[in-house]
């Protein structure tokens, strides 16, 4: 028994000594930002965020990416995404790759370094650390936790990496945010619902994950709007967990409990479920409901209109395109273009607020259906700002 | 020559396979990421791996004793939310100490609740801890409904950047764990643990306090979960009631990769520690081998399945030959 533990301790010592020797080897400059060119890929970026362009060109090779390096330094952009298997994220990653191709063709960037897998907070911290170790120049992160990544992201900022949080706003000094205004997004459909009901009636609400920052912001928006319409009564509120099947189940229960419902407010994937529950219950008068900007929903909407021409709903796009827009912002910052700080909002004044690209109501349903014509059912109505739009909107001339 | 067959070797040295696996994984990682032993890189990896290592150690005790604990993630979440809410971003170091002790106490208490149901009321471990896991996550959600709060940045920085003598903090903690394990293994409790896990009834007949041993493994697991909770709170610096849940299965996987059989009585704690490190390194390997994004999950799962199946496969071929 004693012998066995000796072996274990022996192994431990071996590992530790490997570590020690590795630490000792690369000269005596361990906590550096400027290091010998042969060493570590993480030191390829220059410290100053503003004037990266020139200094970087001098600093040569990024060994992490195997691409042959031409004379001018190309930028490498890393993506960190902790949640897959949702159409939003899938579309986001695909569009990022596509948008980056444009810049690759111009010789500005290398292939994206993508860290994308279902993972927890520790896993996303590891994703970010690996991106840093690969020596990326900018990181686009879709955070899985509002605060859990703060220290790691600050480390990246300190290394001179441009860090942009997409889709969800973070409050970390030095970290930029790119996304839609979640509260305004919810207000648009809430206001529409209140007005369609003539400011009067009984409604129910189906929310996403309680506590999720986007859901919190959205529900705040809804509450703010409804506060102006005292005659609209919220009979009940439940979570559909941003899941189509759960949304359908919740809505079925609501319809059973309140057969003469005037309207309902919901969001994202749950809207299809809710509408399907309404179709299944088939009440004499369909309630006015909030929909979502997905092709599958628009097609369902069209088919409902055949039997119920009075049916009213609205689809406010929640565009995955904010991420490729974020990529464009990152590239332009890397190219040394100056951000017009007056155009930014948010707590730290570091948020790029992207306008909602499209709102579909009965009037322009055909427009939405046309977009969907050659798209798969799960396609989300989208909008990616062009390079020119990004420059004109957020950067100094 | 029979005596040196793989099967006898692995019963003699339960950590043999996991050690081999860890070394192979390390070498691949080193090949893909030449600077992985640079102090900063090594430390940033180890600080991420440590919570899972701690969790795997606790889980190993339970599994050795013939049980299983799937409430560990819930306990991690409770501890995380307690620290994030009661210490707070502007809390003092003293407060942190107090609530770290409170956390350990809470962890042990949660473990004792599991132990009470399983050892004393003789309920099924898997169902019981599945049920209590919701109890614990529910409590964590009650303490901190929305992600937020946190611990002072200086304390998080201490955890993230401390490398005494150039060696990451996590290595010292692992070394301490190994020393404690070696001691426990040599005590009567240690031999009872293996006896209970191997054949509880036979152990009972030979006057081994089976109930007490079972009970204590869950308390140890609760305690280790609390430590994992403290570590992950220091890593992330913030609170989130959902933080622990995904860690439970990883911890069990680490234990099994570490050569500790789910049937109980076989294995140890060293293997699971290496198992946990291996899981982390596998993630690095995936990350640095430039696998197409859409295949990442598949490849990772395949590696883990192979790692889990390998000892069985080796045994199978060994038997064929003889």
């Amino acid at each position: 028994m004693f012998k066995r533990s000796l072996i274990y301790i022996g192994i431990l010592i071996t590992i530790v000594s490997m570590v020690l020797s590795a630490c000792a080897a690369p000269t005596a400059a361990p906590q550096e930002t400027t290091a010998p060119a042969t060493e570590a890929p993480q030191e390829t970026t220059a410290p100053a965020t503003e004037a990266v362009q020139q200094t970087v060109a001098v600093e040569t090779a990024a060994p992490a990416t195997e691409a042959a390096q031409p004379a001018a330094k190309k930028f490498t952009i890393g993506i960190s995404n902790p949640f897959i298997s949702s159409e939003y994220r899938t579309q986001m990653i695909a569009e990022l790759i596509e948008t980056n191709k444009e810049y690759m063709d111009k010789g500005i960037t290398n292939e994206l370094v993508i860290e994308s897998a279902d993972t927890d907070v520790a896993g996303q911290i590891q994703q970010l650390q690996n991106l840093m170790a690969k020596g990326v120049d900018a990181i686009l992160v879709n955070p899985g936790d509002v605060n859990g990544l703060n220290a790691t992201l600050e480390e990246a900022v300190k290394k001179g990496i441009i860090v942009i949080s997409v889709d969800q706003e973070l409050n970390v000094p030095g970290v930029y945010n790119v996304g839609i205004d979640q509260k305004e997004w919810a207000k648009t459909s809430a206001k529409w619902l209140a007005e369609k009901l003539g400011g009067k009636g009984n409604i129910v609400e189906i929310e996403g994950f309680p506590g999720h920052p986007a859901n919190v912001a959205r529900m705040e928006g809804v509450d703010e709007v409804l506060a102006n319409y005292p005659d609209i009564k919220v009979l009940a509120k439940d979570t559909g967990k941003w899941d189509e099947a759960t949304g359908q189940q919740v809505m079925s229960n609501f319809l059973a409990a309140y057969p003469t419902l005037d309207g309902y407010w919901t969001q994202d994937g749950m809207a299809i479920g809710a509408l399907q529950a309404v179709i299944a219950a088939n009440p004499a008068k369909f309630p006015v409901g909030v929909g979502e900007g997905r092709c599958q929903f628009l097609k369902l909407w069209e088919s409902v209109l055949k039997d119920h021409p009075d049916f009213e709903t609205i689809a406010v796009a929640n565009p995955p395109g904010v991420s490729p827009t974020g990529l464009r912002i990152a590239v332009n910052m890397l190219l040394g273009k100056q951000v017009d700080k007056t155009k930014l909002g948010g707590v730290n004044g570091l948020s790029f607020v992207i306008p909602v690209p499209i709102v579909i109501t009965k009037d322009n349903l055909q427009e939405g259906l046309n977009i969907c014509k050659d798209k798969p059912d799960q396609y989300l109505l989208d909008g990616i700002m062009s390079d020119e739009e990004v420059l004109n909107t957020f950067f100094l001339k | 020559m029979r005596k040196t067959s793989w099967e006898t070797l692995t019963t003699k040295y339960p950590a043999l396979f996991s050690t081999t696996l860890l070394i192979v994984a390390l070498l691949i990682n080193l090949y893909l990421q030449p600077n992985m032993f640079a102090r900063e890189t090594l430390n940033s990896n180890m600080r991420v791996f440590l919570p899972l290592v701690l969790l795997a150690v606790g889980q190993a005790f339970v599994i050795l004793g013939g049980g299983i604990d799937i409430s560990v993630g819930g306990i991690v979440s409770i501890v995380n939310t307690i620290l994030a809410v009661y210490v707070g971003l502007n809390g003092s170091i003293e407060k942190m100490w107090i609530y770290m002790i409170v956390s350990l106490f809470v962890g042990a208490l949660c473990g004792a609740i599991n132990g009470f149901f399983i050892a004393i009321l003789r309920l099924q471990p898997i169902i019981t801890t599945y049920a209590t896991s919701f109890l614990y996550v529910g409590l964590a959600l009650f303490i901190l409904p929305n992600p937020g709060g946190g611990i002072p940045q200086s304390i998080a920085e201490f955890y993230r950047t401390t490398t005494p003598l150039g060696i990451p903090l996590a290595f010292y903690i692992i070394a301490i764990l190994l020393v404690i394990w070696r001691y426990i293994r040599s005590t009567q409790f240690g031999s009872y643990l293996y006896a209970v896990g191997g054949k509880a009834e036979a152990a009972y007949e030979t006057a081994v306090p089976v109930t007490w041993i079972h009970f204590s493994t869950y308390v140890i697991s609760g305690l280790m979960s609390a430590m994992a909770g403290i570590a992950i709170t220091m890593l992330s610096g913030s609170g989130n009631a959902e933080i622990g849940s995904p860690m439970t299965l990883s911890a069990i996987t680490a234990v099994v990769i570490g050569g500790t059989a789910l049937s109980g009585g076989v294995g140890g704690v060293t293997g699971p520690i290496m198992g946990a490190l291996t899981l982390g390194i596998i993630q690095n390997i995936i990350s640095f081998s430039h696998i197409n994004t859409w295949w990442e999950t598949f490849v990772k799962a395949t590696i883990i399945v192979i790692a889990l199946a390998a000892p069985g496969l080796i045994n199978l071929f060994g038997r064929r030959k003889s």
Side-chain angles (χ1 to χ4, degrees), chain B:
Chain B
M1 282 312 284
R2 265 276 169 79
K3 284 211 170 114
T4 54
S5 80
W6 175 259
E7 218 167 342
T8 43
L9 265 178
T10 43
T11 27
K12 226 170 160 192
Y13 309 107
L16 180 68
F17 176 72
S18 50
T19 313
T20 321
L21 197 66
L22 177 62
I23 291 172
V24 171
L26 268 176
L27 289 176
I28 299 177
N29 194 356
L30 190 62
Y31 170 73
L32 293 168
Q33 188 190 2
N35 70 332
M36 84 161 285
F37 281 117
R39 185 196 298 183
E40 198 189 348
T41 315
L42 188 72
N43 183 50
S44 63
N45 275 321
M46 288 310 295
R47 70 188 182 198
V48 172
F49 300 162
L50 186 62
L52 189 62
V53 167
L54 294 166
L55 216 51
V57 169
Q59 189 68 251
F61 273 93
V62 177
I63 291 178
L64 272 177
I68 194 159
D69 186 352
I70 46 183
S71 70
V72 291
I75 301 174
V76 168
S77 291
I78 290 193
V79 168
N80 172 254
T81 51
I82 287 177
L83 292 174
V85 170
Y86 296 107
V87 178
L89 285 164
N90 301 313
S92 59
I93 306 235
E94 293 78 44
K95 236 177 165 180
M96 184 71 191
W97 277 113
I98 293 169
Y99 281 102
M100 267 160 67
I101 292 163
V102 169
S103 297
L104 293 177
F105 181 74
V106 169
L109 186 71
C110 291
I113 293 172
N114 288 335
F116 172 76
F117 284 123
I118 295 160
I120 296 169
L121 298 187
R122 304 271 168 101
L123 301 180
Q124 269 294 324
I126 192 161
I127 300 302
T128 309
T129 52
Y130 181 63
T132 54
S133 72
F134 289 107
L135 201 68
Y136 303 150
V137 173
L139 209 59
L141 272 169
F142 176 76
I143 298 171
L144 182 69
N146 295 338
I151 56 167
Q153 208 176 358
S154 57
I155 297 174
E157 276 310 303
F158 171 80
Y159 174 82
R160 296 171 65 86
T161 56
T162 306
T163 53
L165 302 173
I167 304 171
L169 185 67
F171 280 119
Y172 292 91
I173 295 170
I174 291 173
I176 294 169
L177 288 173
L178 286 174
V179 169
I180 295 176
W181 166 242
R182 212 199 100 198
Y183 170 73
I184 290 180
R185 187 74 184 81
S186 68
T187 61
Q188 198 175 34
F189 176 83
S191 22
Y192 281 171
L193 183 64
Y194 281 85
V196 167
K199 264 205 169 82
E201 277 160 39
Y204 188 73
E205 281 162 18
T206 49
V208 172
V210 175
T211 308
W212 164 238
I213 298 287
H214 271 158
F215 181 82
S216 62
T217 58
Y218 288 96
V219 176
I220 292 171
S221 172
L223 213 57
M224 293 310 297
S225 307
M227 284 166 75
I230 294 171
I232 197 148
T233 310
M234 287 181 159
L235 174 69
S236 73
S238 78
N240 182 347
E242 304 282 341
I243 202 167
S245 306
M247 296 172 76
T248 305
L249 271 182
S250 304
I252 296 172
T253 313
V255 172
V256 177
I257 288 187
T260 300
L262 280 180
S263 48
V266 179
V269 162
T270 321
I273 291 177
M274 298 193 189
L277 296 178
T278 310
L279 280 183
I281 291 169
I282 288 176
Q283 186 56 52
N284 274 357
I285 293 176
I286 302 285
S287 161
F288 280 91
S289 57
H290 300 278
I291 293 172
N292 187 316
T293 324
W294 314 112
W295 285 100
E296 204 175 279
T297 307
F298 178 80
V299 174
K300 186 183 173 194
T302 309
I303 297 176
I304 292 173
V305 168
I306 292 172
L308 287 170
L313 289 175
I314 295 170
N315 283 344
L316 188 70
F317 286 118
R319 252 175 282 158
R320 283 260 173 82
K321 259 182 227 162
S322 54

